[in-house]
Amino acid sequence: EAVRPTVRPAPAVPAHRTVVSLTFNDGAVSQFTYAAPALAEHHQQATFFVATGAIDDHHAAAMQWWQLDRLYAEGHEIGGMGRAHTNLTTRQVDAARLRREVCEDARRLKAQGYDPTTFAYPAGAANRAAEQIVRSCGYRAARAAGGLTATGRHRVEPPGGADRFAVRTATTPSGPLQLGTLQRAVRAAAGRGGWLPLAFNQVCHAGDREYTGCMTSSKPIRDDTLRQFLDWLAAAGKPGGAPAGVTVSRLRDALRLPPSPPLPARPTVVSLTFDDGSASQYLARQALLEQRMRGTFYLNSGTLGRQAGIMSLAQARRLRDDGNDMGGHTVHHVKLPGLPHDQAVTEVCSDRVRLRQLGFAAVSFAYPFGAFSPQAEAVARSCGYRSGRTAGSLSVAGPLYAESVPPKDRFGIRLLNAEVPTARGPVSLAHLERAVLAASNHGGGWVPVLFHELCDPRQRTYTPCMSSYRATDLSVFVGFLRWLRDEAPGGVTVRTVAQVVG
């Protein structure tokens, strides 16, 4: 179900009133950690400008998509700052590339449902050419840096801004922002009436291990200083507070742009994947049929139907006929990185050719042992596969809870980590459920789950089976499928790798 942002009506802006807009640059994770709670405590909303390339690349200092979703759902505005945060006035980059930077950033934000209408020039640098680029990408306004001074001729923007594509902010000195500096800027603006945009970068907390580095960044602000400033703004017109008539508004509201649309639903997709074609995996067939679910089975053509402990060709074909995705895993289950190129091509391509001769579509591929490299990806792609699944890098504890849909790299699809670091322990139902819940609670996405041996307590091989790599009790597997069907959060579905990748 779509989530509508909790946006309060934009205040009226008579000429004698002053609207303050709180804007945050670069999508720094410190803003989510320390600024967002302070804003929520004061029931105030801000504008956060982000560079989507850093988010997609999971930069440690950048917010993640689920965090932006939380901000948006709380009524904050999300605006663009260029895909790679490139200065639009630089002469070292051609205009066509700069335009791609801005337009691709806007498209990425639109794809997330944020309806970006405002843009912040990286480094605050703007000129006519930069303005034209931003206009051409569909933005309705753009914020620069500086231009308003507490003692100069320009202390405040007129309501709506003098130039929507060169919106000025309060000029602040280098070094950490001080409460008095911010208060003076607001008092100077209040003497004229109009609009005062303020720009913030990193938000630093004294107890954080990154505090020292944060405070040496460009114009940071301590979180306690920010809270004091928000207290002062919230007390406008009262003793000890900001001047009467001072209100706080998002950038798009101050510019009288359309209201924010509802946030789209964020579905969570689970893929049940099985490596090596173990004979025990055939035990999954009945449970999959009962729950009307399908999995992805990665087979080694060199052992399929030819080796003890591996499913027969007839069993593999029954799984295929049930609608399961039957993919490749190399001929002999070998690590691809480090292999001579010709040998790697033989292992991957010959495997796919043989599987297709046996009647399997073989569009999905998994790297044996999860070992992959750019060269291995290139081989899998050249052999005709549509995807390549790696080893675990998704975690119940984050910071990466789910793969994106579609994946950023369909030949580097990420997998749910094992429950224990050694990966020798059995897979528990609690771990599987927590993984899906964590993804669902953090913006959804895709959770590929790995199974090796399925162990049936009724069989005499149960004990050695359960001591094998990433083994799963059959009752745990059945319980997980039932939980997905009956108890998982709304929007959780089960699809094969081929269905997700397309």
Short mmCIF file of all heavy atoms in Angstrom, two decimals, residues 108-160:
data_model
loop_
_atom_site.label_atom_id
_atom_site.label_comp_id
_atom_site.label_asym_id
_atom_site.label_seq_id
_atom_site.Cartn_x
_atom_site.Cartn_y
_atom_site.Cartn_z
N ARG A 108 16.38 8.53 -11.42
CA ARG A 108 16.51 7.56 -10.32
C ARG A 108 15.61 7.94 -9.16
O ARG A 108 14.96 7.08 -8.56
CB ARG A 108 17.97 7.50 -9.86
CG ARG A 108 18.26 6.37 -8.87
CD ARG A 108 18.24 5.03 -9.55
NE ARG A 108 18.57 3.96 -8.62
CZ ARG A 108 17.66 3.26 -7.93
NH1 ARG A 108 16.37 3.52 -8.08
NH2 ARG A 108 18.04 2.30 -7.11
N LEU A 109 15.56 9.21 -8.83
CA LEU A 109 14.69 9.65 -7.74
C LEU A 109 13.22 9.47 -8.09
O LEU A 109 12.40 9.09 -7.25
CB LEU A 109 14.99 11.11 -7.40
CG LEU A 109 16.35 11.38 -6.76
CD1 LEU A 109 16.61 12.88 -6.66
CD2 LEU A 109 16.45 10.74 -5.38
N LYS A 110 12.88 9.75 -9.35
CA LYS A 110 11.49 9.54 -9.78
C LYS A 110 11.12 8.07 -9.73
O LYS A 110 9.99 7.72 -9.36
CB LYS A 110 11.30 10.09 -11.20
CG LYS A 110 11.29 11.60 -11.28
CD LYS A 110 11.18 12.08 -12.72
CE LYS A 110 11.24 13.60 -12.81
NZ LYS A 110 11.23 14.07 -14.22
N ALA A 111 12.06 7.20 -10.11
CA ALA A 111 11.80 5.76 -10.06
C ALA A 111 11.50 5.29 -8.64
O ALA A 111 10.74 4.34 -8.43
CB ALA A 111 12.98 4.99 -10.63
N GLN A 112 12.08 5.97 -7.66
CA GLN A 112 11.81 5.65 -6.26
C GLN A 112 10.51 6.27 -5.77
O GLN A 112 10.07 5.99 -4.66
CB GLN A 112 12.96 6.14 -5.38
CG GLN A 112 14.26 5.38 -5.57
CD GLN A 112 14.16 3.94 -5.12
OE1 GLN A 112 14.28 3.02 -5.93
NE2 GLN A 112 13.94 3.70 -3.85
N GLY A 113 9.91 7.14 -6.59
CA GLY A 113 8.62 7.73 -6.23
C GLY A 113 8.70 9.02 -5.46
O GLY A 113 7.71 9.48 -4.89
N TYR A 114 9.88 9.68 -5.43
CA TYR A 114 10.05 10.87 -4.61
C TYR A 114 9.61 12.16 -5.28
O TYR A 114 9.57 13.21 -4.63
CB TYR A 114 11.52 11.01 -4.19
CG TYR A 114 12.05 9.88 -3.36
CD1 TYR A 114 13.32 9.36 -3.57
CD2 TYR A 114 11.29 9.31 -2.34
CE1 TYR A 114 13.83 8.32 -2.80
CE2 TYR A 114 11.78 8.27 -1.57
CZ TYR A 114 13.05 7.78 -1.81
OH TYR A 114 13.55 6.74 -1.05
N ASP A 115 9.35 12.14 -6.57
CA ASP A 115 8.92 13.34 -7.28
C ASP A 115 9.86 14.51 -7.01
O ASP A 115 9.47 15.52 -6.42
CB ASP A 115 7.49 13.72 -6.87
CG ASP A 115 6.96 14.91 -7.67
OD1 ASP A 115 7.24 14.98 -8.88
OD2 ASP A 115 6.29 15.77 -7.08
N PRO A 116 11.12 14.41 -7.43
CA PRO A 116 12.07 15.49 -7.16
C PRO A 116 11.75 16.74 -7.98
O PRO A 116 11.73 16.70 -9.20
CB PRO A 116 13.42 14.89 -7.57
CG PRO A 116 13.06 13.92 -8.66
CD PRO A 116 11.72 13.34 -8.24
N THR A 117 11.50 17.83 -7.32
CA THR A 117 11.22 19.09 -8.01
C THR A 117 12.31 20.13 -7.78
O THR A 117 12.38 21.11 -8.50
CB THR A 117 9.87 19.68 -7.55
OG1 THR A 117 9.92 19.89 -6.15
CG2 THR A 117 8.71 18.76 -7.89
N THR A 118 13.14 19.91 -6.74
CA THR A 118 14.18 20.86 -6.43
C THR A 118 15.56 20.21 -6.48
O THR A 118 15.69 19.01 -6.22
CB THR A 118 13.97 21.49 -5.04
OG1 THR A 118 13.92 20.45 -4.05
CG2 THR A 118 12.67 22.27 -4.99
N PHE A 119 16.55 21.01 -6.79
CA PHE A 119 17.92 20.53 -6.99
C PHE A 119 18.87 21.43 -6.22
O PHE A 119 18.60 22.63 -6.06
CB PHE A 119 18.25 20.58 -8.49
CG PHE A 119 19.62 20.08 -8.86
CD1 PHE A 119 19.84 18.73 -9.09
CD2 PHE A 119 20.68 20.97 -9.00
CE1 PHE A 119 21.10 18.26 -9.43
CE2 PHE A 119 21.95 20.51 -9.35
CZ PHE A 119 22.16 19.15 -9.56
N ALA A 120 19.97 20.87 -5.74
CA ALA A 120 21.02 21.68 -5.10
C ALA A 120 22.30 21.52 -5.91
O ALA A 120 22.75 20.40 -6.17
CB ALA A 120 21.25 21.23 -3.66
N TYR A 121 22.88 22.63 -6.32
CA TYR A 121 24.11 22.58 -7.10
C TYR A 121 25.25 22.03 -6.24
O TYR A 121 25.51 22.54 -5.15
CB TYR A 121 24.48 23.98 -7.59
CG TYR A 121 23.48 24.59 -8.52
CD1 TYR A 121 22.60 25.59 -8.07
CD2 TYR A 121 23.39 24.19 -9.85
CE1 TYR A 121 21.67 26.16 -8.92
CE2 TYR A 121 22.45 24.75 -10.71
CZ TYR A 121 21.59 25.73 -10.24
OH TYR A 121 20.65 26.29 -11.08
N PRO A 122 25.94 20.98 -6.70
CA PRO A 122 27.08 20.47 -5.95
C PRO A 122 28.10 21.58 -5.71
O PRO A 122 28.40 22.38 -6.61
CB PRO A 122 27.64 19.38 -6.88
CG PRO A 122 26.45 18.91 -7.64
CD PRO A 122 25.63 20.15 -7.88
N ALA A 123 28.60 21.63 -4.49
CA ALA A 123 29.53 22.68 -4.06
C ALA A 123 28.88 24.06 -4.13
O ALA A 123 29.56 25.08 -3.99
CB ALA A 123 30.82 22.65 -4.89
N GLY A 124 27.58 24.12 -4.35
CA GLY A 124 26.88 25.40 -4.43
C GLY A 124 27.21 26.20 -5.66
O GLY A 124 26.83 27.36 -5.78
N ALA A 125 27.92 25.57 -6.63
CA ALA A 125 28.42 26.29 -7.81
C ALA A 125 27.38 26.31 -8.92
O ALA A 125 26.92 25.26 -9.37
CB ALA A 125 29.71 25.64 -8.31
N ALA A 126 27.01 27.52 -9.36
CA ALA A 126 26.00 27.66 -10.41
C ALA A 126 26.39 28.76 -11.37
O ALA A 126 27.04 29.74 -10.99
CB ALA A 126 24.63 27.95 -9.80
N ASN A 127 26.00 28.57 -12.63
CA ASN A 127 26.11 29.61 -13.64
C ASN A 127 24.96 29.38 -14.63
O ASN A 127 24.13 28.49 -14.42
CB ASN A 127 27.48 29.61 -14.33
CG ASN A 127 27.84 28.26 -14.94
OD1 ASN A 127 26.95 27.45 -15.25
ND2 ASN A 127 29.13 28.02 -15.12
N ARG A 128 24.91 30.17 -15.67
CA ARG A 128 23.79 30.06 -16.62
C ARG A 128 23.73 28.66 -17.25
O ARG A 128 22.66 28.10 -17.45
CB ARG A 128 23.92 31.12 -17.72
CG ARG A 128 23.71 32.54 -17.23
CD ARG A 128 22.30 32.75 -16.75
NE ARG A 128 22.05 34.12 -16.34
CZ ARG A 128 20.94 34.53 -15.74
NH1 ARG A 128 19.98 33.66 -15.47
NH2 ARG A 128 20.80 35.80 -15.39
N ALA A 129 24.90 28.12 -17.59
CA ALA A 129 24.93 26.80 -18.22
C ALA A 129 24.41 25.73 -17.25
O ALA A 129 23.65 24.84 -17.64
CB ALA A 129 26.35 26.47 -18.67
N ALA A 130 24.81 25.84 -15.99
CA ALA A 130 24.35 24.88 -14.99
C ALA A 130 22.84 24.99 -14.79
O ALA A 130 22.13 23.97 -14.68
CB ALA A 130 25.08 25.11 -13.67
N GLU A 131 22.34 26.21 -14.73
CA GLU A 131 20.90 26.41 -14.59
C GLU A 131 20.14 25.77 -15.75
O GLU A 131 19.09 25.14 -15.56
CB GLU A 131 20.58 27.91 -14.52
CG GLU A 131 21.03 28.58 -13.23
CD GLU A 131 20.62 30.04 -13.19
OE1 GLU A 131 19.66 30.41 -13.91
OE2 GLU A 131 21.23 30.81 -12.43
N GLN A 132 20.66 25.92 -16.96
CA GLN A 132 19.99 25.36 -18.13
C GLN A 132 19.96 23.84 -18.06
O GLN A 132 18.97 23.20 -18.43
CB GLN A 132 20.70 25.82 -19.42
CG GLN A 132 20.01 25.35 -20.70
CD GLN A 132 18.56 25.75 -20.76
OE1 GLN A 132 18.18 26.87 -20.41
NE2 GLN A 132 17.70 24.83 -21.20
N ILE A 133 21.04 23.23 -17.60
CA ILE A 133 21.08 21.78 -17.46
C ILE A 133 19.99 21.32 -16.49
O ILE A 133 19.24 20.38 -16.77
CB ILE A 133 22.47 21.32 -16.97
CG1 ILE A 133 23.50 21.46 -18.08
CG2 ILE A 133 22.42 19.87 -16.49
CD1 ILE A 133 24.92 21.21 -17.62
N VAL A 134 19.91 21.98 -15.35
CA VAL A 134 18.93 21.59 -14.34
C VAL A 134 17.50 21.77 -14.86
O VAL A 134 16.64 20.90 -14.66
CB VAL A 134 19.16 22.39 -13.04
CG1 VAL A 134 18.07 22.10 -12.02
CG2 VAL A 134 20.54 22.08 -12.47
N ARG A 135 17.24 22.86 -15.54
CA ARG A 135 15.92 23.08 -16.14
C ARG A 135 15.57 21.97 -17.12
O ARG A 135 14.45 21.45 -17.14
CB ARG A 135 15.88 24.41 -16.89
CG ARG A 135 15.82 25.66 -16.04
CD ARG A 135 15.88 26.90 -16.94
NE ARG A 135 15.98 28.13 -16.20
CZ ARG A 135 14.92 28.83 -15.78
NH1 ARG A 135 13.70 28.41 -16.06
NH2 ARG A 135 15.10 29.97 -15.12
N SER A 136 16.55 21.61 -17.97
CA SER A 136 16.29 20.64 -19.04
C SER A 136 15.99 19.25 -18.49
O SER A 136 15.40 18.41 -19.19
CB SER A 136 17.49 20.56 -19.98
OG SER A 136 18.60 19.94 -19.37
N CYS A 137 16.37 18.98 -17.24
CA CYS A 137 16.13 17.68 -16.63
C CYS A 137 14.81 17.63 -15.85
O CYS A 137 14.51 16.63 -15.18
CB CYS A 137 17.29 17.30 -15.71
SG CYS A 137 18.84 16.99 -16.62
N GLY A 138 14.02 18.69 -15.94
CA GLY A 138 12.68 18.68 -15.36
C GLY A 138 12.55 19.25 -13.98
O GLY A 138 11.45 19.24 -13.41
N TYR A 139 13.63 19.74 -13.40
CA TYR A 139 13.52 20.35 -12.08
C TYR A 139 12.79 21.68 -12.18
O TYR A 139 12.84 22.36 -13.20
CB TYR A 139 14.91 20.55 -11.46
CG TYR A 139 15.53 19.27 -10.96
CD1 TYR A 139 16.54 18.64 -11.67
CD2 TYR A 139 15.10 18.70 -9.77
CE1 TYR A 139 17.11 17.46 -11.21
CE2 TYR A 139 15.66 17.52 -9.30
CZ TYR A 139 16.67 16.90 -10.02
OH TYR A 139 17.23 15.74 -9.56
N ARG A 140 12.13 22.07 -11.08
CA ARG A 140 11.35 23.31 -11.06
C ARG A 140 12.09 24.43 -10.35
O ARG A 140 11.68 25.59 -10.44
CB ARG A 140 10.01 23.05 -10.35
CG ARG A 140 9.19 21.90 -10.96
CD ARG A 140 8.42 22.34 -12.16
NE ARG A 140 7.42 23.33 -11.82
CZ ARG A 140 6.20 23.05 -11.34
NH1 ARG A 140 5.84 21.77 -11.15
NH2 ARG A 140 5.35 23.99 -11.07
N ALA A 141 13.15 24.08 -9.62
CA ALA A 141 13.91 25.09 -8.90
C ALA A 141 15.24 24.49 -8.49
O ALA A 141 15.41 23.27 -8.47
CB ALA A 141 13.15 25.57 -7.65
N ALA A 142 16.21 25.38 -8.16
CA ALA A 142 17.53 24.90 -7.76
C ALA A 142 18.11 25.84 -6.72
O ALA A 142 17.97 27.06 -6.81
CB ALA A 142 18.46 24.79 -8.96
N ARG A 143 18.78 25.23 -5.74
CA ARG A 143 19.36 26.00 -4.65
C ARG A 143 20.87 26.09 -4.81
O ARG A 143 21.55 25.08 -5.03
CB ARG A 143 19.04 25.31 -3.32
CG ARG A 143 19.17 26.18 -2.07
CD ARG A 143 19.74 25.39 -0.94
NE ARG A 143 21.13 25.04 -1.24
CZ ARG A 143 21.76 24.03 -0.69
NH1 ARG A 143 21.16 23.25 0.18
NH2 ARG A 143 23.03 23.77 -1.03
N ALA A 144 21.39 27.30 -4.69
CA ALA A 144 22.84 27.52 -4.77
C ALA A 144 23.39 27.52 -3.34
O ALA A 144 22.83 26.87 -2.45
CB ALA A 144 23.13 28.82 -5.49
N ALA A 145 24.46 28.25 -3.08
CA ALA A 145 25.01 28.34 -1.73
C ALA A 145 25.45 29.78 -1.48
O ALA A 145 26.09 30.40 -2.33
CB ALA A 145 26.21 27.40 -1.57
N GLY A 146 25.06 30.31 -0.31
CA GLY A 146 25.45 31.66 0.05
C GLY A 146 24.66 32.72 -0.70
O GLY A 146 23.67 32.44 -1.38
N GLY A 147 25.08 33.94 -0.56
CA GLY A 147 24.42 35.06 -1.24
C GLY A 147 23.61 35.92 -0.32
O GLY A 147 23.31 37.08 -0.64
N LEU A 148 23.19 35.40 0.85
CA LEU A 148 22.42 36.17 1.82
C LEU A 148 23.31 36.40 3.05
O LEU A 148 23.90 35.45 3.58
CB LEU A 148 21.15 35.44 2.23
CG LEU A 148 20.21 35.02 1.09
CD1 LEU A 148 19.01 34.25 1.65
CD2 LEU A 148 19.74 36.24 0.31
N THR A 149 23.42 37.62 3.51
CA THR A 149 24.26 37.94 4.67
C THR A 149 23.47 38.73 5.69
O THR A 149 22.58 39.53 5.35
CB THR A 149 25.49 38.76 4.24
OG1 THR A 149 25.06 39.97 3.62
CG2 THR A 149 26.35 37.97 3.26
N ALA A 150 23.80 38.51 6.94
CA ALA A 150 23.06 39.16 8.03
C ALA A 150 23.25 40.66 8.06
O ALA A 150 22.41 41.39 8.60
CB ALA A 150 23.49 38.56 9.38
N THR A 151 24.33 41.15 7.45
CA THR A 151 24.59 42.59 7.49
C THR A 151 24.61 43.23 6.11
O THR A 151 24.77 44.46 6.01
CB THR A 151 25.95 42.85 8.17
OG1 THR A 151 26.98 42.16 7.45
CG2 THR A 151 25.93 42.37 9.61
N GLY A 152 24.43 42.45 5.06
CA GLY A 152 24.51 42.99 3.72
C GLY A 152 23.17 43.45 3.17
O GLY A 152 22.14 43.44 3.86
N ARG A 153 23.19 43.81 1.89
CA ARG A 153 21.96 44.28 1.23
C ARG A 153 20.96 43.14 1.05
O ARG A 153 19.75 43.33 1.16
CB ARG A 153 22.31 44.90 -0.13
CG ARG A 153 21.11 45.51 -0.85
CD ARG A 153 21.58 46.43 -1.96
NE ARG A 153 22.33 45.71 -2.98
CZ ARG A 153 21.77 45.21 -4.09
NH1 ARG A 153 20.48 45.36 -4.31
NH2 ARG A 153 22.50 44.59 -4.99
N HIS A 154 21.47 41.93 0.76
CA HIS A 154 20.60 40.78 0.55
C HIS A 154 20.60 39.91 1.81
O HIS A 154 21.49 39.10 2.02
CB HIS A 154 21.06 39.97 -0.66
CG HIS A 154 21.07 40.75 -1.94
ND1 HIS A 154 19.91 41.19 -2.55
CD2 HIS A 154 22.09 41.16 -2.74
CE1 HIS A 154 20.22 41.85 -3.66
NE2 HIS A 154 21.53 41.84 -3.79
N ARG A 155 19.61 40.12 2.64
CA ARG A 155 19.50 39.36 3.89
C ARG A 155 18.48 38.24 3.78
O ARG A 155 18.45 37.33 4.61
CB ARG A 155 19.12 40.29 5.04
CG ARG A 155 20.10 41.43 5.25
CD ARG A 155 19.70 42.28 6.43
NE ARG A 155 20.59 43.44 6.59
CZ ARG A 155 20.53 44.28 7.60
NH1 ARG A 155 19.63 44.10 8.57
NH2 ARG A 155 21.37 45.31 7.66
N VAL A 156 17.64 38.31 2.78
CA VAL A 156 16.53 37.38 2.66
C VAL A 156 16.12 37.29 1.21
O VAL A 156 16.27 38.26 0.44
CB VAL A 156 15.35 37.84 3.56
CG1 VAL A 156 14.79 39.15 3.06
CG2 VAL A 156 14.27 36.78 3.66
N GLU A 157 15.62 36.11 0.81
CA GLU A 157 15.02 35.97 -0.51
C GLU A 157 13.59 36.51 -0.45
O GLU A 157 12.91 36.34 0.57
CB GLU A 157 14.97 34.49 -0.93
CG GLU A 157 16.30 33.91 -1.36
CD GLU A 157 16.59 34.21 -2.83
OE1 GLU A 157 16.00 35.16 -3.38
OE2 GLU A 157 17.43 33.50 -3.42
N PRO A 158 13.10 37.13 -1.52
CA PRO A 158 11.69 37.49 -1.53
C PRO A 158 10.85 36.22 -1.55
O PRO A 158 11.34 35.16 -1.94
CB PRO A 158 11.54 38.28 -2.84
CG PRO A 158 12.65 37.81 -3.70
CD PRO A 158 13.79 37.50 -2.78
N PRO A 159 9.59 36.28 -1.11
CA PRO A 159 8.75 35.08 -1.15
C PRO A 159 8.77 34.46 -2.55
O PRO A 159 8.54 35.14 -3.54
CB PRO A 159 7.36 35.62 -0.79
CG PRO A 159 7.64 36.83 0.04
CD PRO A 159 8.88 37.45 -0.56
N GLY A 160 9.08 33.15 -2.60
CA GLY A 160 9.15 32.47 -3.88
C GLY A 160 10.51 32.56 -4.54
O GLY A 160 10.78 31.87 -5.52
#
